[in-house]
Amino acid sequence: MNQKNKIVEVYGLWFADLVAIGVSFVLATYIRFGNFRDMGDKGIHFQVCLVLLLFCTIYTFFIDWNRNFLKRSIKKELYEIAKYHVIMMLVVQMVMYFLKWADVFSRLVMIYFPIINIALTFLLHFMIKKAMQLHYRSELSRIKVLVITHREMADEVLERLQDTLEINYQIVGIACPGAGTGKDGEIDGIPVMIVGDNFMENVTLMALDEVFIYAPELKQKQIQRILNGFDVMGVDCHYCIELPGTQPGRSKIDSFGGYSVITYTRFQSSYKRLLIKRVMDIVGGLVGLFITMVFFPFVALAIKLDSPGPVMFSQIRIGRNGRRFKIYKFRSMYIDAEERKKELEAQNEIQGLMFKIENDPRITRVGKFIRKTSIDELPQFYNVVKGDMSLVGTRPPTADEFEKYNQYYRRRISMTPGLTGLWQVSGRSDIEDFDDVVKYDLEYIDSWSLTLDIKILLRTVWVVLAGRGSK
């Protein structure tokens, strides 16, 4: 299990078990006495409940009884829950005996409590497991893996990986060293390609998160070229044999699908910080959606009165590691803007892949105002809550822009795109070269921290209030 999933499972299940204990203890007490007035010494009842919660915490983090939670069968789950409760009751009864609480504490409560808690714990675990399985199997959460191995080893490697990898991993391709280019059939419905001259160009446009390399006969120079290519793209590589000459700061000994590997990655931050970042996104996104609902009737009326066409504008953008999603904005251009773009390409003021001209004739009168104030971007808070985007990140490219990317440009989508970012608060209207946008985005990725996100958010508020929005 990767560290991110481990954190979510351990802390999520621990919280659920604490809730189950609290609810079960209250129900057991109420069933015994019919009210909370006749329960005797309320202080001792409260202390017993605290001991139960303390036991749950110690048992969870020292015994780690929820390991392999997603792979446990119903029978195994019931066994682990029953074992947990037997040990809990023995420990708590021992504490009550030594502290002389047993004489004044209701024995019936201690009978009702484990019965209720076993049922409630099992129910919560079952619901959490189903929710996590649904989440991990979603397109947004799946970790897409390319396997590079020799053709004669492919069946064995694929079988082992499929048996040992977590459910959120999806093998999207197998690449085998050999002569030629393009595809070379399928294995268990997974396309097989050739590691040839155009291999890196072909995988640049794939939706891809990680690469697993198990190719003992591949020459060291070929391995180095592949690793360097994916490193430039910002895609993590798992290599099962240590390779000399790589940067120590970007490698770590890891386990992948039952194999011991050296993982080469640019990302060195804690997954706990990413979890906090996601919580910030959800909270900020919900606040943003509320603001959007307040503005919506006024903006929608202004757009409708100003020009014909829909209130909302949607477009396919490229998200983290090549995932495609639909971005939403308030429409700020005439409905034929995309067709007219070809006529205006000669006036493009940005060198490279982006398109921008001052006083763009495709922008409506209302559009100029909502762009200047960044009101047009409010509906993107829906993308933030959904998980396609983050509050802070890199700029999500359009599909036609992405098709022209090289490996260096590709790395800017190795992190979830954001509603705002470093280049947006660094004078975005003054940038005249797409390479400068990439430079800011890569600087953000390489120096990412929660503190940097907060700074960018505060600077974004100032940019918006100062009227320094997009031209």
Side-chain angles (χ1 to χ4, degrees):
M1 179 190 302
N2 64 45
Q3 187 179 359
K4 178 182 177 181
N5 294 348
K6 178 73 172 177
I7 291 172
V8 173
E9 288 188 22
V10 170
Y11 286 92
L13 289 169
W14 170 57
F15 180 75
D17 292 340
L18 292 179
V19 171
I21 288 174
V23 173
S24 299
F25 192 85
V26 170
L27 287 176
T29 303
Y30 188 82
I31 292 172
R32 165 62 181 87
F33 296 102
N35 56 66
F36 298 107
R37 297 186 304 273
D38 303 325
M39 55 192 295
D41 193 327
K42 294 182 175 61
I44 289 180
H45 275 75
F46 178 75
Q47 292 172 58
V48 170
C49 187
L50 285 181
V51 172
L52 291 168
L53 295 174
L54 180 61
F55 172 85
C56 173
T57 301
I58 295 174
Y59 195 82
T60 297
F61 291 102
F62 284 87
I63 305 300
D64 192 20
W65 74 289
N66 283 320
R67 61 183 177 274
N68 298 322
F69 169 72
L70 288 175
K71 293 185 177 182
R72 292 201 303 231
S73 64
I74 293 179
K75 183 178 179 181
K76 180 66 174 177
E77 188 69 39
L78 284 170
Y79 170 78
E80 292 295 338
I81 291 175
K83 177 182 174 183
Y84 158 68
H85 279 84
V86 168
I87 298 175
M88 177 193 289
M89 289 298 100
L90 290 174
V91 171
V92 173
Q93 291 285 359
M94 189 179 300
V95 171
M96 293 174 63
Y97 174 79
F98 282 108
L99 295 179
K100 298 181 178 180
W101 292 347
D103 294 334
V104 294
F105 192 87
S106 172
R107 292 178 177 82
L108 283 177
V109 172
M110 296 307 292
I111 294 175
Y112 295 149
F113 168 79
I115 297 174
I116 298 172
N117 202 50
I118 287 175
L120 185 56
T121 302
F122 177 78
L123 178 62
L124 288 176
H125 279 214
F126 180 81
M127 293 171 62
I128 291 172
K129 182 178 293 186
K130 291 299 180 183
M132 293 178 73
Q133 288 174 343
L134 185 64
H135 172 69
Y136 287 155
R137 289 192 175 110
S138 69
E139 183 65 17
L140 189 63
S141 301
R142 280 197 166 186
I143 300 174
K144 300 178 183 295
V145 180
L146 173 68
V147 176
I148 300 178
T149 188
H150 301 294
R151 185 60 188 257
E152 60 270 22
M153 303 170 57
D155 290 324
E156 178 184 350
V157 171
L158 184 62
E159 181 180 359
R160 183 172 175 182
L161 289 174
Q162 290 175 331
D163 287 342
T164 54
L165 285 175
E166 299 296 318
I167 62 173
N168 58 323
Y169 281 90
Q170 178 188 13
I171 298 176
V172 295
I174 301 172
C176 301
T181 59
K183 294 185 177 181
D184 187 30
E186 293 182 347
I187 298 179
D188 289 343
I190 301 172
V192 178
M193 63 182 71
I194 300 297
V195 181
D197 295 335
N198 299 325
F199 173 68
M200 295 308 302
E201 287 78 7
N202 292 335
V203 298
T204 296
L205 301 181
M206 288 181 63
L208 188 63
D209 298 302
E210 299 179 11
V211 177
F212 173 69
I213 305 174
Y214 186 29
E217 297 177 14
L218 207 58
K219 293 182 179 179
Q220 181 175 320
K221 288 185 177 180
Q222 292 176 287
I223 292 290
Q224 188 74 57
R225 190 160 53 247
I226 292 172
L227 289 174
N228 288 341
F230 284 115
D231 181 62
V232 171
M233 292 165 57
V235 175
D236 291 356
C237 285
H238 305 282
Y239 184 53
C240 65
I241 300 175
E242 186 173 358
L243 184 68
T246 55
Q247 298 185 35
R250 292 180 184 165
S251 65
K252 58 183 179 180
I253 298 177
D254 208 345
S255 175
F256 187 87
Y259 290 93
S260 296
V261 299
I262 302 296
T263 299
Y264 301 88
T265 176
R266 287 178 177 263
F267 181 76
Q268 299 294 335
S269 187
S270 166
Y271 282 105
K272 292 182 181 179
R273 294 187 181 94
L274 284 180
L275 191 60
I276 296 173
K277 178 180 174 71
R278 181 59 187 148
V279 172
M280 289 171 56
D281 287 342
I282 294 174
V283 174
L286 292 174
V287 173
L289 282 178
F290 175 76
I291 296 173
T292 305
M293 292 172 62
V294 173
F295 274 84
F296 184 85
F298 306 102
V299 178
L301 180 61
I303 292 173
K304 279 294 186 181
L305 292 175
D306 184 48
S307 64
V311 171
M312 303 297 295
F313 168 78
S314 64
Q315 186 182 47
I316 297 298
R317 292 292 184 95
I318 307 301
R320 179 172 59 88
N321 287 330
R323 291 169 172 80
R324 283 161 170 77
F325 70 96
K326 186 175 289 188
I327 198 172
Y328 297 93
K329 294 185 177 184
F330 285 122
R331 182 174 61 85
S332 61
M333 292 185 173
Y334 294 102
I335 57 176
D336 60 347
E338 288 299 316
E339 291 77 10
R340 295 172 63 185
K341 179 180 177 181
K342 297 178 180 179
E343 304 171 3
L344 300 169
E345 285 181 349
Q347 304 177 39
N348 188 10
E349 299 173 1
I350 292 188
Q351 299 180 26
L353 303 183
M354 286 179 62
F355 179 82
K356 186 194 75 170
I357 59 174
E358 193 167 358
N359 299 320
D360 192 331
R362 302 174 302 158
I363 300 176
T364 65
R365 289 175 298 174
V366 170
K368 291 179 181 179
F369 174 77
I370 62 176
R371 276 174 168 247
K372 189 69 175 177
T373 55
S374 297
I375 292 175
D376 65 316
E377 298 184 359
L378 286 177
Q380 291 178 49
F381 281 112
Y382 170 73
N383 294 112
V384 173
V385 174
K386 187 181 175 185
D388 297 323
M389 297 177 65
S390 178
L391 290 176
V392 184
T394 59
R395 171 189 168 272
T398 61
D400 57 343
E401 176 187 320
F402 177 64
E403 290 174 358
K404 301 172 186 176
Y405 270 20
N406 55 31
Q407 295 172 27
Y408 172 70
Y409 292 160
R410 159 76 192 235
R411 191 162 76 85
R412 66 187 295 266
I413 62 168
S414 62
M415 200 167 188
T416 302
L419 189 61
T420 184
L422 191 59
W423 77 274
Q424 286 96 328
V425 298
S426 303
R428 62 175 173 171
S429 295
D430 300 324
I431 291 177
E432 298 180 351
D433 195 323
F434 177 68
D435 284 345
D436 290 334
V437 175
V438 177
K439 181 189 71 174
Y440 280 118
D441 282 343
L442 296 187
E443 180 183 342
Y444 170 76
I445 292 172
D446 292 336
S447 58
W448 176 78
S449 67
L450 292 172
T451 302
L452 178 60
D453 274 8
I454 294 172
K455 288 181 179 179
I456 291 175
L457 286 172
L458 293 175
R459 289 174 64 183
T460 300
V461 173
W462 167 249
V463 168
V464 173
L465 293 178
R468 294 167 53 199
S470 176
K471 292 182 180 179

